[in-house]
Amino acid sequence: MTPLMTPRKILVTSALPYANGAIHLGHLVEYIQTDIWVRFQKQRGHECYYVCADDAHGTPIMLKADRDGITPEELIAEVGKSHIADFNEFGIAFDNYHSTHSDENKTLSSLVYTRLRDAGHISSRTITQAFDPVKNMFLPDRFIKGDCPKCGAKDQYGDGCEVCGANYSPTDLKNAVSAISGATPIEKESEHYFFDLADFTEMLRDWTNAGHLQAEVRNKLAEWLESGLQQWDISRDAPYFGFEIPDAPNKYFYVWLDAPIGYMASFQNLCDKTDLNFDDFWAKDSDVELYHFIGKDIIYFHALFWPAMLRGANFRTPDAIFAHGFLTVNGEKMSKSRGTFITARTYLDHLNPEYLRYYFAAKLSNTIDDLDLNFDDFSQRVNSDLVGKVVNIASRCSGFIRKKFDNQLSATCVESDLFAEFIAANGAIADYYEHREFGKAMREIMELADKANQYIDHKKPWSIAKEEGKDAELHDVCSVAINLFRILAAYLKPVLPALTTEAELFLNAPITTWIDELQPLVNHTLNDFKPLMTRVEADKIAAIIDDSKENLLKV
């Protein structure tokens, strides 16, 4: 048994899903990655909290609600319910899930802003923007369309061309129109508020080089810091769905100002429901560990704006930000026309969510490399690893225990060295889990599963069962196999919580700790074995792709 670890206190967040659409498989890379890490920490006995929220503000939500003939509040409530339902079915176990459109977030956003303002980090000036004269509103870059000034491609957004990749100002677009009304935008002046990010250049240079970031991320941030930090526009004009800026009528916080504060607000909401103390986790001198899991596309906001805002408002900064890559499907960007832009709900209509949890775990590393969902590989891995290796151990031996020994395991673990070998692997596997090298952890676990199956193949319980006077040997062999299966279930518990729950029911023994504390089950009564997982069938994957194409037609 390893020495007792010092219990840790940890707060973990995932990026907030936007409340104007469904959760899709690309989103789930992050929530599954985070959930596995949190479940691992809890299994190790640490005090770990996982909070998240719907990102509920901004122009797109306001406009979608308007198109649907409902209020923004009604839209985000409806979307929020669907998000929570999807997360629950995928086993994402948040300790608290909230919304950025909340009293807690309004209070904290105002507090952060006023502290920054009073410390001299907020300035204002008049800027010129595109304005829709029909809808009577200023237009974000993504709501202006026209011909690319570089290659001439039609119907391109105001901030960049998807055909040639050029970046430009909306004023450079040719034949520009409002994507909302179709009217030609006019230019109009407005006063805007800015966060003076450059005030924190030295602080950010130190923070980004202090071990809080992956090497690839740190290098990218070094480039941005070298080129000089610009003022960040944190205000938007009415009409806008969000929080009004204190002492600035008809001016609203830009969604990216209050979105990360949503982490704090969700945790505040949890504190209000429990005996947790907000300041213990967020005060400047807090010794609680704080980690953010995000996609690599929002590094700028999380690794520059966010730590600067926190420091300027006298809160603590994160211990680390863990970025991951994008999801591709069959080697290509997710595509609606090819049926590979798959929502969580479409997947759930056809396949076990734990297949995807395992597949993502088997592919995830601690880098920002993209992750590919290849359906042939997906089927092969799930069928081979989970059904053919892990579950197979229990299904091969449980029948003998039930029929011959009344579901009672033998009195001793005759293969104590083999059992000890499985337990001894826990240090390496724990290290892989801790450092988000889930793919390496899964490979180690499957190597153990191979050893368990090799043990069964070598002992051949099916042959022993046919021989007279060999019941004791049969009992021992099958009992050893069941105990090895239990260790594998314990290793896989962070990844496959539902399968592990079923395994615990069969084993009649909960797995509540890390593996190094497991002792063999001897003279122990099992429950009847029920199939724990079935194979992935090709027709189910075909149905997911067909349904995803059909969803496109309904849009």
Side-chain angles (χ1 to χ4, degrees), residues 397-411 461 464-467 469-480 482 523-528:
C397 297
S398 57
F400 295 117
I401 298 286
R402 180 175 60 83
K403 291 173 193 169
K404 292 264 193 181
F405 311 107
D406 197 26
N407 267 340
Q408 187 89 2
L409 294 177
S410 63
I464 299 172
K466 295 173 185 175
E467 297 182 39
K470 292 282 190 112
D471 279 4
E473 184 182 352
L474 176 66
H475 200 188
D476 286 340
V477 167
C478 292
S479 296
V480 167
I482 295 298
N523 277 331
H524 178 83
T525 302
L526 304 175
N527 289 311
D528 285 349

Side-chain angles (χ1 to χ4, degrees), residues 180-316:
I180 304 168
S181 69
T184 301
I186 61 172
E187 291 189 349
K188 191 171 180 180
E189 289 187 341
S190 173
E191 184 183 23
H192 273 235
Y193 292 78
F194 294 84
F195 174 45
D196 295 324
L197 187 61
D199 292 354
F200 297 88
T201 299
E202 287 311 308
M203 170 257 158
L204 288 169
R205 191 169 279 124
D206 292 342
W207 187 85
T208 56
N209 284 293
H212 304 297
L213 305 166
Q214 294 133 297
E216 314 99 301
V217 175
R218 185 179 66 246
N219 293 339
K220 187 65 187 172
L221 290 174
E223 293 176 25
W224 287 332
L225 284 161
E226 192 60 36
S227 62
L229 298 175
Q230 306 301 308
Q231 284 188 318
W232 179 35
D233 188 343
I234 59 166
S235 65
R236 294 296 183 267
D237 292 280
Y240 191 80
F241 183 58
F243 295 138
E244 205 166 24
I245 297 175
D247 303 324
N250 292 319
K251 302 290 180 181
Y252 291 81
F253 288 129
Y254 173 43
V255 60
W256 264 108
L257 184 287
D258 68 64
I261 298 171
Y263 301 141
M264 304 169 79
S266 183
F267 186 71
Q268 177 68 71
N269 182 252
L270 178 63
C271 291
D272 292 343
K273 296 185 282 192
T274 62
D275 60 357
L276 291 169
N277 184 290
F278 180 86
D279 290 339
D280 288 348
F281 288 75
W282 287 100
K284 194 171 185 180
D285 60 353
S286 170
D287 58 1
V288 173
E289 297 173 51
L290 172 62
Y291 302 106
H292 300 306
F293 284 75
I294 63 164
K296 63 183 179 182
D297 55 327
I298 52 175
I299 285 169
Y300 200 97
F301 293 101
H302 281 82
L304 291 178
F305 296 152
W306 180 230
M309 283 167 56
L310 289 167
R311 180 64 60 84
N314 205 34
F315 287 108
R316 57 88 47 82

Side-chain angles (χ1 to χ4, degrees), residues 419-433:
F419 186 90
E421 182 186 343
F422 272 52
I423 296 291
N426 88 86
I429 292 171
D431 197 55
Y432 287 142
Y433 270 127

Side-chain angles (χ1 to χ4, degrees), residues 351 375-376 379 383 535-545:
L351 286 176
F375 282 123
D376 290 338
S379 303
N383 293 342
R535 293 172 60 82
V536 179
E537 302 296 342
D539 62 328
K540 301 288 190 187
I541 290 172
I544 286 174
I545 293 171

Side-chain angles (χ1 to χ4, degrees), residues 74-378:
E74 288 170 324
L75 172 65
I76 62 176
E78 184 183 310
V79 171
K81 284 179 191 171
S82 71
H83 283 183
I84 290 168
D86 291 347
F87 286 138
N88 285 343
E89 288 195 50
F90 270 97
I92 312 298
F94 299 112
D95 290 284
N96 198 60
Y97 196 84
H98 205 34
S99 167
T100 58
H101 191 63
S102 68
D103 290 340
E104 297 92 346
N105 202 30
K106 184 174 185 178
T107 299
L108 283 163
S109 296
S110 295
L111 176 65
V112 168
Y113 171 80
T114 52
R115 284 184 178 181
L116 292 173
R117 181 197 64 195
D118 294 348
H121 302 303
I122 303 292
S123 56
S124 65
R125 68 174 188 272
T126 299
I127 64 170
T128 302
Q129 293 174 279
F131 187 83
D132 185 323
V134 174
K135 294 296 282 185
N136 203 32
M137 62 180 286
F138 286 97
L139 291 168
D141 293 351
R142 296 290 284 180
F143 287 90
I144 306 167
K145 286 193 169 184
D147 304 344
C148 172
K150 299 291 195 306
C151 73
K154 308 247 181 236
D155 206 32
Q156 296 306 304
Y157 290 111
D159 55 356
C161 178
E162 293 186 340
V163 176
C164 72
N167 291 311
Y168 42 75
S169 166
T171 53
D172 296 331
L173 273 178
K174 296 176 182 173
N175 304 314
V177 295
S178 163
I180 304 168
S181 69
T184 301
I186 61 172
E187 291 189 349
K188 191 171 180 180
E189 289 187 341
S190 173
E191 184 183 23
H192 273 235
Y193 292 78
F194 294 84
F195 174 45
D196 295 324
L197 187 61
D199 292 354
F200 297 88
T201 299
E202 287 311 308
M203 170 257 158
L204 288 169
R205 191 169 279 124
D206 292 342
W207 187 85
T208 56
N209 284 293
H212 304 297
L213 305 166
Q214 294 133 297
E216 314 99 301
V217 175
R218 185 179 66 246
N219 293 339
K220 187 65 187 172
L221 290 174
E223 293 176 25
W224 287 332
L225 284 161
E226 192 60 36
S227 62
L229 298 175
Q230 306 301 308
Q231 284 188 318
W232 179 35
D233 188 343
I234 59 166
S235 65
R236 294 296 183 267
D237 292 280
Y240 191 80
F241 183 58
F243 295 138
E244 205 166 24
I245 297 175
D247 303 324
N250 292 319
K251 302 290 180 181
Y252 291 81
F253 288 129
Y254 173 43
V255 60
W256 264 108
L257 184 287
D258 68 64
I261 298 171
Y263 301 141
M264 304 169 79
S266 183
F267 186 71
Q268 177 68 71
N269 182 252
L270 178 63
C271 291
D272 292 343
K273 296 185 282 192
T274 62
D275 60 357
L276 291 169
N277 184 290
F278 180 86
D279 290 339
D280 288 348
F281 288 75
W282 287 100
K284 194 171 185 180
D285 60 353
S286 170
D287 58 1
V288 173
E289 297 173 51
L290 172 62
Y291 302 106
H292 300 306
F293 284 75
I294 63 164
K296 63 183 179 182
D297 55 327
I298 52 175
I299 285 169
Y300 200 97
F301 293 101
H302 281 82
L304 291 178
F305 296 152
W306 180 230
M309 283 167 56
L310 289 167
R311 180 64 60 84
N314 205 34
F315 287 108
R316 57 88 47 82
T317 52
D319 285 284
I321 294 170
F322 301 136
H324 60 82
F326 300 134
L327 179 70
T328 57
V329 179
N330 293 333
E332 297 179 311
K333 188 177 177 181
M334 289 170 68
S335 160
K336 290 184 177 178
S337 61
R338 284 192 293 270
T340 57
F341 192 92
I342 301 164
T343 66
R345 184 53 47 185
T346 300
Y347 177 98
L348 289 166
D349 286 342
H350 298 282
L351 286 176
N352 182 337
E354 298 224 321
Y355 295 161
L356 194 70
R357 286 182 66 101
Y358 176 73
Y359 188 73
F360 281 172
K363 303 272 281 190
L364 276 163
S365 70
N366 60 11
T367 71
I368 59 171
D369 293 342
D370 292 345
L371 184 155
D372 186 51
L373 169 57
N374 178 286
F375 282 123
D376 290 338
D377 182 47
F378 170 85

Side-chain angles (χ1 to χ4, degrees), residues 10-14 34 37-38 48-51 289-291 293:
I10 308 168
L11 177 58
V12 182
T13 75
S14 294
T34 316
W37 197 79
V38 168
C48 186
Y49 302 96
Y50 179 19
V51 301
E289 297 173 51
L290 172 62
Y291 302 106
F293 284 75

